[in-house]
Amino acid sequence: MMSSKIGPIILGAVLTLILLNACQRQAVPRADMPLLTDTSLSKGALLSVSCNNCHAKTGLGIPNYSNHSAKRIKKYLTFYKTDTNGTSVMHRMARGLSDEEIALIAGYLEASK
Amino acid sequence: MMDWGRRNTLTGLATFPLTFTVSQKISAQSVMANIVIIGGGFGGASAAMFLKKISPDLNITLVEPKTSYYACPFSNLLIDGKREITNQKFSYEGLKSRGVNVIHLRAIDVDPVKKTVTLSESQTLSYDKLIISPGIAFQTNAIDGYGELAQKSMPHAWAGGQDIVRLVRRLKNINDGSTVVISVPQAPYRCPPGPYERASLIASYLKQNKPKSKLIILDGKENFSKQALFERAWAELYPNIIEWRSASNDGRVVSVDASKNQVITDFETLNVGLANIIPPQKAGHIAEVAGLVDITGWCPINPVDFSSTLQNDIYVIGDATIAAPMPKSAFSAAVHAKICAIQILRNLKGLEPQPTILSNTCYSFIAPERAVSITGVYSNSGKAIQSVPGAGGTTPLTATVLEKTAEAYQANIWFQSMTHNAFGSI
Ligand SMILES: Cc1cc2nc3c(=O)[nH]c(=O)nc-3n(C[C@H](O)[C@H](O)[C@H](O)COP(=O)(O)OP(=O)(O)OC[C@H]3O[C@@H](n4cnc5c(N)ncnc54)[C@H](O)[C@@H]3O)c2cc1C
């Protein structure tokens, strides 16, 4: 039986894998786009600087948010923030974010696709 | 004339237009400015790559004497023998191909008033904004006898390069039954959990290859990062191999005698098969030359944008900064780099600096295929960087082997992402 501690981690991993598969199906290779718009200097951009330290577009199998909608990203970050049993890196990070900050990150990541 | 001379604004020549109104004429979005970056490690290379990505018109010059960068993260895995030094090596071609002017010379002086940087072949570069990410320098005189000879035979392998290869070679040559010593400096130093990761991997090697040997960690501190997780791993995986001595338990290294292979603490002289002496540290030398360090030997910064509190138009990122409670890590250096880049562009566009939330995660290998991690979340809205209450933490002590294997996998992805973002390679 799954312990209550690792349950959420596995759930998180499974959810991200489902998402990953979904985005692999529709993946279109994109060049690194020039981004100097107000978005790239926004609060959302500043809040998102840690993300691609692990989720870079290397195509190497980390759950990659590059094709996710803001709604989906918000849903996952909110899951990590509110899931009190979770111990994964994403849980530890998301707990430091307010709902407003999560919305800004989600919006930025969608806009910077 | 050298290639870089054409592309960079040399002293005395006109600088690029800087003001908002002028740049608006060129393009509604672009900002023209001369940005010079000293140091092509995790901080400097990430800053160059990120600036070029969000503002392709910027004139970005990266000054870095070495033509290859050997990353420290993951270098401890060479001890196991499965990872090669070539996996640590990164070139600057990815930055060059994206339009960053990379100059392989050393910066030897900075004039914050004239806003110029002098390079080792006495050329001068002028800048509108200067970013410095020189990493660390060692206070080698803090340990008596740790001169040039001792640094070769008792390598720290803490500054990248190929030192780690020398350390591993020496480890392979010790006799079974030898004592290996790792000495850890007082905080602050680069990569707080790094020495204990190294201890874990050396213990793993000793257990398999030299099982009668011992590893003594001589620590300049009373406790350490992820201590409970490391101690649990050592008890489970390497029983009776590792002995950790805190500073107050005679852990302080006073001197070394390289010719006799001795490490001397306050009360004991240890005869060692191998010593890995990690000396106390300070900001890289050029930061001192540029007048960016305070009495601590590190660089005070305004946390919101990483601008120096001591000089105008100079920003310091990475290990050289005073950014505690953020640890001196590659992860932190990349976060500093990207925040600093955005704030510089905001400044050039006449926008106020904007506070944000920062984070760090350091993975440490406790065995070749198992890792544990520590995460911190921080705010830079105040005078100093502060931890966000209720966030962050470590891998739980109760984590299963499966979870630690998963963390090792995540660590690999982290390394690939970080080096991709800094050097453009996978
Ligand atoms: C064993 C070990 C393991 C580690 N593991 C991890 C880990 O798992 N995760 C993690 O996040 N961090 C880890 N780190 C820490 C990480 O390596 C550093 O925090 C990171 O390299 C800091 O980046 P930086 O840009 O400040 O300095 P560096 O990466 O050291 O780059 C500084 C660069 O500046 C150049 N330079 C210096 N002076 C001049 C000058 N005058 N002119 C021009 N160029 C100059 C240098 O040649 C160098 O290339 C580890 C460190 C060690 C030692």
PDB file of all heavy atoms in Angstrom, chain A residues 15-24 27 30 51-52 54-69 72-73 109 113, chain B residues 413 417 420:
ATOM      1  N   LEU A  15       0.405  13.121 -12.733  1.00  0.00           N
ATOM      2  CA  LEU A  15      -0.282  14.255 -13.359  1.00  0.00           C
ATOM      3  C   LEU A  15       0.638  14.972 -14.338  1.00  0.00           C
ATOM      4  O   LEU A  15       0.257  15.275 -15.463  1.00  0.00           O
ATOM      5  CB  LEU A  15      -0.750  15.248 -12.289  1.00  0.00           C
ATOM      6  CG  LEU A  15      -1.884  14.754 -11.394  1.00  0.00           C
ATOM      7  CD1 LEU A  15      -2.177  15.786 -10.312  1.00  0.00           C
ATOM      8  CD2 LEU A  15      -3.144  14.466 -12.203  1.00  0.00           C
ATOM      9  N   THR A  16       1.885  15.175 -13.913  1.00  0.00           N
ATOM     10  CA  THR A  16       2.787  15.893 -14.809  1.00  0.00           C
ATOM     11  C   THR A  16       3.119  15.038 -16.032  1.00  0.00           C
ATOM     12  O   THR A  16       3.270  15.562 -17.131  1.00  0.00           O
ATOM     13  CB  THR A  16       4.080  16.325 -14.082  1.00  0.00           C
ATOM     14  OG1 THR A  16       4.460  15.303 -13.190  1.00  0.00           O
ATOM     15  CG2 THR A  16       3.898  17.613 -13.344  1.00  0.00           C
ATOM     16  N   LEU A  17       3.185  13.727 -15.844  1.00  0.00           N
ATOM     17  CA  LEU A  17       3.458  12.860 -16.995  1.00  0.00           C
ATOM     18  C   LEU A  17       2.317  12.905 -18.008  1.00  0.00           C
ATOM     19  O   LEU A  17       2.546  12.931 -19.212  1.00  0.00           O
ATOM     20  CB  LEU A  17       3.686  11.421 -16.537  1.00  0.00           C
ATOM     21  CG  LEU A  17       5.128  11.126 -16.095  1.00  0.00           C
ATOM     22  CD1 LEU A  17       5.246   9.697 -15.610  1.00  0.00           C
ATOM     23  CD2 LEU A  17       6.095  11.385 -17.244  1.00  0.00           C
ATOM     24  N   ILE A  18       1.084  12.926 -17.467  1.00  0.00           N
ATOM     25  CA  ILE A  18      -0.070  13.006 -18.366  1.00  0.00           C
ATOM     26  C   ILE A  18       0.023  14.292 -19.183  1.00  0.00           C
ATOM     27  O   ILE A  18      -0.103  14.296 -20.399  1.00  0.00           O
ATOM     28  CB  ILE A  18      -1.399  12.966 -17.569  1.00  0.00           C
ATOM     29  CG1 ILE A  18      -1.575  11.575 -16.954  1.00  0.00           C
ATOM     30  CG2 ILE A  18      -2.588  13.318 -18.470  1.00  0.00           C
ATOM     31  CD1 ILE A  18      -2.688  11.472 -15.942  1.00  0.00           C
ATOM     32  N   LEU A  19       0.341  15.378 -18.462  1.00  0.00           N
ATOM     33  CA  LEU A  19       0.477  16.659 -19.141  1.00  0.00           C
ATOM     34  C   LEU A  19       1.589  16.632 -20.171  1.00  0.00           C
ATOM     35  O   LEU A  19       1.466  17.135 -21.277  1.00  0.00           O
ATOM     36  CB  LEU A  19       0.814  17.741 -18.107  1.00  0.00           C
ATOM     37  CG  LEU A  19      -0.382  18.368 -17.434  1.00  0.00           C
ATOM     38  CD1 LEU A  19       0.108  19.386 -16.421  1.00  0.00           C
ATOM     39  CD2 LEU A  19      -1.258  19.050 -18.464  1.00  0.00           C
ATOM     40  N   LEU A  20       2.689  15.988 -19.779  1.00  0.00           N
ATOM     41  CA  LEU A  20       3.844  15.919 -20.665  1.00  0.00           C
ATOM     42  C   LEU A  20       3.464  15.200 -21.955  1.00  0.00           C
ATOM     43  O   LEU A  20       3.758  15.651 -23.047  1.00  0.00           O
ATOM     44  CB  LEU A  20       4.980  15.170 -19.971  1.00  0.00           C
ATOM     45  CG  LEU A  20       6.271  15.049 -20.767  1.00  0.00           C
ATOM     46  CD1 LEU A  20       6.876  16.420 -20.978  1.00  0.00           C
ATOM     47  CD2 LEU A  20       7.242  14.152 -20.047  1.00  0.00           C
ATOM     48  N   ASN A  21       2.772  14.074 -21.805  1.00  0.00           N
ATOM     49  CA  ASN A  21       2.347  13.329 -22.985  1.00  0.00           C
ATOM     50  C   ASN A  21       1.458  14.185 -23.865  1.00  0.00           C
ATOM     51  O   ASN A  21       1.616  14.214 -25.071  1.00  0.00           O
ATOM     52  CB  ASN A  21       1.583  12.062 -22.579  1.00  0.00           C
ATOM     53  CG  ASN A  21       2.566  11.005 -22.119  1.00  0.00           C
ATOM     54  OD1 ASN A  21       3.728  11.058 -22.504  1.00  0.00           O
ATOM     55  ND2 ASN A  21       2.113  10.067 -21.310  1.00  0.00           N
ATOM     56  N   ALA A  22       0.538  14.886 -23.206  1.00  0.00           N
ATOM     57  CA  ALA A  22      -0.377  15.726 -23.955  1.00  0.00           C
ATOM     58  C   ALA A  22       0.396  16.752 -24.773  1.00  0.00           C
ATOM     59  O   ALA A  22       0.122  16.953 -25.949  1.00  0.00           O
ATOM     60  CB  ALA A  22      -1.341  16.430 -23.013  1.00  0.00           C
ATOM     61  N   CYS A  23       1.426  17.357 -24.126  1.00  0.00           N
ATOM     62  CA  CYS A  23       2.099  18.419 -24.872  1.00  0.00           C
ATOM     63  C   CYS A  23       3.082  17.837 -25.878  1.00  0.00           C
ATOM     64  O   CYS A  23       3.366  18.464 -26.882  1.00  0.00           O
ATOM     65  CB  CYS A  23       2.736  19.473 -23.971  1.00  0.00           C
ATOM     66  SG  CYS A  23       4.072  18.922 -23.006  1.00  0.00           S
ATOM     67  N   GLN A  24       3.556  16.596 -25.645  1.00  0.00           N
ATOM     68  CA  GLN A  24       4.439  16.013 -26.649  1.00  0.00           C
ATOM     69  C   GLN A  24       3.681  15.767 -27.955  1.00  0.00           C
ATOM     70  O   GLN A  24       4.227  15.902 -29.032  1.00  0.00           O
ATOM     71  CB  GLN A  24       5.034  14.706 -26.150  1.00  0.00           C
ATOM     72  CG  GLN A  24       6.381  14.937 -25.470  1.00  0.00           C
ATOM     73  CD  GLN A  24       6.871  13.728 -24.730  1.00  0.00           C
ATOM     74  OE1 GLN A  24       6.147  12.737 -24.609  1.00  0.00           O
ATOM     75  NE2 GLN A  24       8.080  13.800 -24.239  1.00  0.00           N
ATOM     76  N   ALA A  27       3.563  18.938 -29.699  1.00  0.00           N
ATOM     77  CA  ALA A  27       4.778  19.746 -29.642  1.00  0.00           C
ATOM     78  C   ALA A  27       5.228  20.252 -31.011  1.00  0.00           C
ATOM     79  O   ALA A  27       5.276  19.504 -31.967  1.00  0.00           O
ATOM     80  CB  ALA A  27       5.910  18.930 -29.022  1.00  0.00           C
ATOM     81  N   ARG A  30      10.205  25.173 -31.397  1.00  0.00           N
ATOM     82  CA  ARG A  30      10.207  26.641 -31.509  1.00  0.00           C
ATOM     83  C   ARG A  30      11.613  27.167 -31.297  1.00  0.00           C
ATOM     84  O   ARG A  30      12.326  26.690 -30.438  1.00  0.00           O
ATOM     85  CB  ARG A  30       9.316  27.242 -30.417  1.00  0.00           C
ATOM     86  CG  ARG A  30       7.859  27.297 -30.771  1.00  0.00           C
ATOM     87  CD  ARG A  30       7.161  28.136 -29.720  1.00  0.00           C
ATOM     88  NE  ARG A  30       7.713  27.858 -28.411  1.00  0.00           N
ATOM     89  CZ  ARG A  30       7.161  27.011 -27.562  1.00  0.00           C
ATOM     90  NH1 ARG A  30       6.080  26.375 -27.859  1.00  0.00           N
ATOM     91  NH2 ARG A  30       7.706  26.830 -26.377  1.00  0.00           N
ATOM     92  N   CYS A  51      11.979  28.844 -12.581  1.00  0.00           N
ATOM     93  CA  CYS A  51      11.317  27.684 -13.190  1.00  0.00           C
ATOM     94  C   CYS A  51      12.221  26.924 -14.146  1.00  0.00           C
ATOM     95  O   CYS A  51      12.383  25.712 -14.026  1.00  0.00           O
ATOM     96  CB  CYS A  51      10.036  28.096 -13.909  1.00  0.00           C
ATOM     97  SG  CYS A  51       8.877  29.013 -12.859  1.00  0.00           S
ATOM     98  N   ASN A  52      12.835  27.679 -15.108  1.00  0.00           N
ATOM     99  CA  ASN A  52      13.565  26.921 -16.122  1.00  0.00           C
ATOM    100  C   ASN A  52      14.956  26.483 -15.668  1.00  0.00           C
ATOM    101  O   ASN A  52      15.686  25.882 -16.417  1.00  0.00           O
ATOM    102  CB  ASN A  52      13.569  27.649 -17.473  1.00  0.00           C
ATOM    103  CG  ASN A  52      14.609  28.740 -17.544  1.00  0.00           C
ATOM    104  OD1 ASN A  52      15.100  29.212 -16.533  1.00  0.00           O
ATOM    105  ND2 ASN A  52      14.953  29.140 -18.759  1.00  0.00           N
ATOM    106  N   CYS A  54      15.167  24.115 -13.826  1.00  0.00           N
ATOM    107  CA  CYS A  54      14.927  22.669 -13.948  1.00  0.00           C
ATOM    108  C   CYS A  54      14.083  22.323 -15.164  1.00  0.00           C
ATOM    109  O   CYS A  54      14.185  21.232 -15.692  1.00  0.00           O
ATOM    110  CB  CYS A  54      14.223  22.124 -12.707  1.00  0.00           C
ATOM    111  SG  CYS A  54      15.161  22.357 -11.191  1.00  0.00           S
ATOM    112  N   HIS A  55      13.222  23.246 -15.574  1.00  0.00           N
ATOM    113  CA  HIS A  55      12.290  22.936 -16.660  1.00  0.00           C
ATOM    114  C   HIS A  55      12.695  23.635 -17.958  1.00  0.00           C
ATOM    115  O   HIS A  55      11.861  24.230 -18.624  1.00  0.00           O
ATOM    116  CB  HIS A  55      10.866  23.374 -16.289  1.00  0.00           C
ATOM    117  CG  HIS A  55      10.349  22.751 -15.028  1.00  0.00           C
ATOM    118  ND1 HIS A  55       9.572  21.614 -15.017  1.00  0.00           N
ATOM    119  CD2 HIS A  55      10.489  23.094 -13.722  1.00  0.00           C
ATOM    120  CE1 HIS A  55       9.245  21.303 -13.760  1.00  0.00           C
ATOM    121  NE2 HIS A  55       9.789  22.185 -12.961  1.00  0.00           N
ATOM    122  N   ALA A  56      13.971  23.566 -18.294  1.00  0.00           N
ATOM    123  CA  ALA A  56      14.409  24.185 -19.548  1.00  0.00           C
ATOM    124  C   ALA A  56      13.890  23.377 -20.722  1.00  0.00           C
ATOM    125  O   ALA A  56      13.542  22.206 -20.564  1.00  0.00           O
ATOM    126  CB  ALA A  56      15.929  24.274 -19.598  1.00  0.00           C
ATOM    127  N   LYS A  57      13.885  24.045 -21.878  1.00  0.00           N
ATOM    128  CA  LYS A  57      13.350  23.349 -23.062  1.00  0.00           C
ATOM    129  C   LYS A  57      14.423  22.455 -23.683  1.00  0.00           C
ATOM    130  O   LYS A  57      14.808  22.631 -24.835  1.00  0.00           O
ATOM    131  CB  LYS A  57      12.874  24.382 -24.078  1.00  0.00           C
ATOM    132  CG  LYS A  57      11.675  25.174 -23.573  1.00  0.00           C
ATOM    133  CD  LYS A  57      11.331  26.276 -24.539  1.00  0.00           C
ATOM    134  CE  LYS A  57      10.295  27.208 -23.929  1.00  0.00           C
ATOM    135  NZ  LYS A  57      10.097  28.403 -24.725  1.00  0.00           N
ATOM    136  N   THR A  58      14.935  21.529 -22.911  1.00  0.00           N
ATOM    137  CA  THR A  58      15.968  20.644 -23.433  1.00  0.00           C
ATOM    138  C   THR A  58      15.360  19.384 -24.026  1.00  0.00           C
ATOM    139  O   THR A  58      16.049  18.616 -24.672  1.00  0.00           O
ATOM    140  CB  THR A  58      16.944  20.219 -22.320  1.00  0.00           C
ATOM    141  OG1 THR A  58      16.161  19.652 -21.273  1.00  0.00           O
ATOM    142  CG2 THR A  58      17.736  21.379 -21.782  1.00  0.00           C
ATOM    143  N   GLY A  59      14.081  19.172 -23.755  1.00  0.00           N
ATOM    144  CA  GLY A  59      13.427  17.979 -24.283  1.00  0.00           C
ATOM    145  C   GLY A  59      13.909  16.702 -23.627  1.00  0.00           C
ATOM    146  O   GLY A  59      13.848  15.629 -24.204  1.00  0.00           O
ATOM    147  N   LEU A  60      14.421  16.803 -22.421  1.00  0.00           N
ATOM    148  CA  LEU A  60      15.019  15.624 -21.796  1.00  0.00           C
ATOM    149  C   LEU A  60      14.119  14.948 -20.779  1.00  0.00           C
ATOM    150  O   LEU A  60      14.580  14.215 -19.926  1.00  0.00           O
ATOM    151  CB  LEU A  60      16.344  16.005 -21.161  1.00  0.00           C
ATOM    152  CG  LEU A  60      17.454  16.124 -22.196  1.00  0.00           C
ATOM    153  CD1 LEU A  60      18.639  16.873 -21.631  1.00  0.00           C
ATOM    154  CD2 LEU A  60      17.878  14.750 -22.686  1.00  0.00           C
ATOM    155  N   GLY A  61      12.853  15.217 -20.824  1.00  0.00           N
ATOM    156  CA  GLY A  61      11.961  14.387 -20.019  1.00  0.00           C
ATOM    157  C   GLY A  61      11.437  14.994 -18.741  1.00  0.00           C
ATOM    158  O   GLY A  61      10.591  14.413 -18.098  1.00  0.00           O
ATOM    159  N   ILE A  62      11.932  16.182 -18.356  1.00  0.00           N
ATOM    160  CA  ILE A  62      11.322  16.804 -17.188  1.00  0.00           C
ATOM    161  C   ILE A  62       9.952  17.297 -17.637  1.00  0.00           C
ATOM    162  O   ILE A  62       9.786  17.749 -18.765  1.00  0.00           O
ATOM    163  CB  ILE A  62      12.162  17.995 -16.665  1.00  0.00           C
ATOM    164  CG1 ILE A  62      11.661  18.492 -15.316  1.00  0.00           C
ATOM    165  CG2 ILE A  62      12.169  19.160 -17.633  1.00  0.00           C
ATOM    166  CD1 ILE A  62      12.317  17.878 -14.135  1.00  0.00           C
ATOM    167  N   PRO A  63       8.969  17.207 -16.802  1.00  0.00           N
ATOM    168  CA  PRO A  63       7.704  17.828 -17.172  1.00  0.00           C
ATOM    169  C   PRO A  63       7.965  19.259 -17.647  1.00  0.00           C
ATOM    170  O   PRO A  63       8.582  20.041 -16.954  1.00  0.00           O
ATOM    171  CB  PRO A  63       6.909  17.809 -15.870  1.00  0.00           C
ATOM    172  CG  PRO A  63       7.441  16.617 -15.155  1.00  0.00           C
ATOM    173  CD  PRO A  63       8.903  16.530 -15.522  1.00  0.00           C
ATOM    174  N   ASN A  64       7.554  19.530 -18.845  1.00  0.00           N
ATOM    175  CA  ASN A  64       7.847  20.809 -19.466  1.00  0.00           C
ATOM    176  C   ASN A  64       6.544  21.570 -19.663  1.00  0.00           C
ATOM    177  O   ASN A  64       5.601  21.045 -20.241  1.00  0.00           O
ATOM    178  CB  ASN A  64       8.522  20.535 -20.806  1.00  0.00           C
ATOM    179  CG  ASN A  64       9.035  21.789 -21.447  1.00  0.00           C
ATOM    180  OD1 ASN A  64       8.438  22.854 -21.303  1.00  0.00           O
ATOM    181  ND2 ASN A  64      10.125  21.677 -22.155  1.00  0.00           N
ATOM    182  N   TYR A  65       6.507  22.791 -19.152  1.00  0.00           N
ATOM    183  CA  TYR A  65       5.248  23.543 -19.188  1.00  0.00           C
ATOM    184  C   TYR A  65       5.101  24.335 -20.466  1.00  0.00           C
ATOM    185  O   TYR A  65       4.182  25.111 -20.614  1.00  0.00           O
ATOM    186  CB  TYR A  65       5.168  24.497 -17.992  1.00  0.00           C
ATOM    187  CG  TYR A  65       6.449  25.264 -17.796  1.00  0.00           C
ATOM    188  CD1 TYR A  65       6.824  26.257 -18.698  1.00  0.00           C
ATOM    189  CD2 TYR A  65       7.307  24.973 -16.739  1.00  0.00           C
ATOM    190  CE1 TYR A  65       8.012  26.924 -18.573  1.00  0.00           C
ATOM    191  CE2 TYR A  65       8.508  25.647 -16.607  1.00  0.00           C
ATOM    192  CZ  TYR A  65       8.853  26.619 -17.523  1.00  0.00           C
ATOM    193  OH  TYR A  65      10.030  27.279 -17.399  1.00  0.00           O
ATOM    194  N   SER A  66       6.006  24.140 -21.424  1.00  0.00           N
ATOM    195  CA  SER A  66       6.062  25.114 -22.514  1.00  0.00           C
ATOM    196  C   SER A  66       4.789  25.199 -23.352  1.00  0.00           C
ATOM    197  O   SER A  66       4.562  26.204 -24.006  1.00  0.00           O
ATOM    198  CB  SER A  66       7.279  24.886 -23.396  1.00  0.00           C
ATOM    199  OG  SER A  66       7.256  23.580 -23.880  1.00  0.00           O
ATOM    200  N   ASN A  67       3.980  24.144 -23.359  1.00  0.00           N
ATOM    201  CA  ASN A  67       2.734  24.254 -24.120  1.00  0.00           C
ATOM    202  C   ASN A  67       1.499  24.318 -23.220  1.00  0.00           C
ATOM    203  O   ASN A  67       0.381  24.146 -23.688  1.00  0.00           O
ATOM    204  CB  ASN A  67       2.595  23.089 -25.099  1.00  0.00           C
ATOM    205  CG  ASN A  67       3.338  23.388 -26.383  1.00  0.00           C
ATOM    206  OD1 ASN A  67       3.398  24.545 -26.799  1.00  0.00           O
ATOM    207  ND2 ASN A  67       3.914  22.367 -26.980  1.00  0.00           N
ATOM    208  N   HIS A  68       1.716  24.502 -21.931  1.00  0.00           N
ATOM    209  CA  HIS A  68       0.580  24.493 -21.007  1.00  0.00           C
ATOM    210  C   HIS A  68      -0.138  25.835 -21.032  1.00  0.00           C
ATOM    211  O   HIS A  68       0.487  26.884 -21.165  1.00  0.00           O
ATOM    212  CB  HIS A  68       1.043  24.222 -19.581  1.00  0.00           C
ATOM    213  CG  HIS A  68       1.602  22.860 -19.405  1.00  0.00           C
ATOM    214  ND1 HIS A  68       1.893  22.343 -18.181  1.00  0.00           N
ATOM    215  CD2 HIS A  68       1.926  21.899 -20.300  1.00  0.00           C
ATOM    216  CE1 HIS A  68       2.376  21.132 -18.327  1.00  0.00           C
ATOM    217  NE2 HIS A  68       2.411  20.839 -19.607  1.00  0.00           N
ATOM    218  N   SER A  69      -1.439  25.768 -20.807  1.00  0.00           N
ATOM    219  CA  SER A  69      -2.185  27.012 -20.679  1.00  0.00           C
ATOM    220  C   SER A  69      -1.958  27.570 -19.278  1.00  0.00           C
ATOM    221  O   SER A  69      -1.567  26.838 -18.361  1.00  0.00           O
ATOM    222  CB  SER A  69      -3.672  26.730 -20.875  1.00  0.00           C
ATOM    223  OG  SER A  69      -4.127  25.927 -19.803  1.00  0.00           O
ATOM    224  N   ARG A  72      -3.874  25.635 -16.674  1.00  0.00           N
ATOM    225  CA  ARG A  72      -3.277  24.373 -16.230  1.00  0.00           C
ATOM    226  C   ARG A  72      -2.124  24.604 -15.258  1.00  0.00           C
ATOM    227  O   ARG A  72      -1.994  23.926 -14.246  1.00  0.00           O
ATOM    228  CB  ARG A  72      -2.725  23.619 -17.437  1.00  0.00           C
ATOM    229  CG  ARG A  72      -3.693  22.633 -18.007  1.00  0.00           C
ATOM    230  CD  ARG A  72      -3.043  21.948 -19.167  1.00  0.00           C
ATOM    231  NE  ARG A  72      -3.664  20.661 -19.390  1.00  0.00           N
ATOM    232  CZ  ARG A  72      -3.416  19.917 -20.452  1.00  0.00           C
ATOM    233  NH1 ARG A  72      -2.536  20.302 -21.346  1.00  0.00           N
ATOM    234  NH2 ARG A  72      -4.025  18.754 -20.592  1.00  0.00           N
ATOM    235  N   ILE A  73      -1.266  25.562 -15.597  1.00  0.00           N
ATOM    236  CA  ILE A  73      -0.111  25.831 -14.728  1.00  0.00           C
ATOM    237  C   ILE A  73      -0.606  26.281 -13.362  1.00  0.00           C
ATOM    238  O   ILE A  73      -0.114  25.833 -12.324  1.00  0.00           O
ATOM    239  CB  ILE A  73       0.814  26.890 -15.373  1.00  0.00           C
ATOM    240  CG1 ILE A  73       1.419  26.317 -16.665  1.00  0.00           C
ATOM    241  CG2 ILE A  73       1.914  27.306 -14.410  1.00  0.00           C
ATOM    242  CD1 ILE A  73       2.108  27.339 -17.540  1.00  0.00           C
ATOM    243  N   LEU A 109       4.154  32.405 -18.028  1.00  0.00           N
ATOM    244  CA  LEU A 109       4.649  31.207 -18.720  1.00  0.00           C
ATOM    245  C   LEU A 109       3.820  30.923 -19.974  1.00  0.00           C
ATOM    246  O   LEU A 109       4.359  30.505 -20.998  1.00  0.00           O
ATOM    247  CB  LEU A 109       4.675  29.993 -17.782  1.00  0.00           C
ATOM    248  CG  LEU A 109       5.695  30.080 -16.636  1.00  0.00           C
ATOM    249  CD1 LEU A 109       5.626  28.838 -15.757  1.00  0.00           C
ATOM    250  CD2 LEU A 109       7.118  30.263 -17.169  1.00  0.00           C
ATOM    251  N   LYS A 113       5.463  31.491 -24.229  1.00  0.00           N
ATOM    252  CA  LYS A 113       5.591  30.236 -24.987  1.00  0.00           C
ATOM    253  C   LYS A 113       6.449  30.427 -26.229  1.00  0.00           C
ATOM    254  O   LYS A 113       6.302  31.415 -26.930  1.00  0.00           O
ATOM    255  CB  LYS A 113       4.214  29.798 -25.478  1.00  0.00           C
ATOM    256  CG  LYS A 113       3.473  28.939 -24.493  1.00  0.00           C
ATOM    257  CD  LYS A 113       2.199  28.474 -25.152  1.00  0.00           C
ATOM    258  CE  LYS A 113       1.238  27.900 -24.129  1.00  0.00           C
ATOM    259  NZ  LYS A 113       0.010  27.469 -24.755  1.00  0.00           N
TER     260      LYS A 113
ATOM    261  N   ILE B 413      18.327  16.259 -14.397  1.00  0.00           N
ATOM    262  CA  ILE B 413      17.582  17.167 -15.265  1.00  0.00           C
ATOM    263  C   ILE B 413      17.938  18.614 -14.920  1.00  0.00           C
ATOM    264  O   ILE B 413      18.085  19.463 -15.794  1.00  0.00           O
ATOM    265  CB  ILE B 413      16.057  16.947 -15.104  1.00  0.00           C
ATOM    266  CG1 ILE B 413      15.687  15.506 -15.434  1.00  0.00           C
ATOM    267  CG2 ILE B 413      15.265  17.934 -15.946  1.00  0.00           C
ATOM    268  CD1 ILE B 413      15.865  15.120 -16.868  1.00  0.00           C
ATOM    269  N   SER B 417      19.364  21.309 -17.478  1.00  0.00           N
ATOM    270  CA  SER B 417      18.662  22.579 -17.690  1.00  0.00           C
ATOM    271  C   SER B 417      19.574  23.772 -17.421  1.00  0.00           C
ATOM    272  O   SER B 417      19.645  24.712 -18.211  1.00  0.00           O
ATOM    273  CB  SER B 417      17.433  22.663 -16.777  1.00  0.00           C
ATOM    274  OG  SER B 417      16.448  21.758 -17.186  1.00  0.00           O
ATOM    275  N   HIS B 420      22.242  24.127 -20.015  1.00  0.00           N
ATOM    276  CA  HIS B 420      21.604  24.560 -21.270  1.00  0.00           C
ATOM    277  C   HIS B 420      21.322  26.067 -21.211  1.00  0.00           C
ATOM    278  O   HIS B 420      21.599  26.803 -22.163  1.00  0.00           O
ATOM    279  CB  HIS B 420      20.304  23.777 -21.469  1.00  0.00           C
ATOM    280  CG  HIS B 420      19.481  24.257 -22.622  1.00  0.00           C
ATOM    281  ND1 HIS B 420      19.777  23.942 -23.925  1.00  0.00           N
ATOM    282  CD2 HIS B 420      18.389  25.055 -22.673  1.00  0.00           C
ATOM    283  CE1 HIS B 420      18.898  24.516 -24.726  1.00  0.00           C
ATOM    284  NE2 HIS B 420      18.041  25.199 -23.992  1.00  0.00           N
TER     285      HIS B 420
END
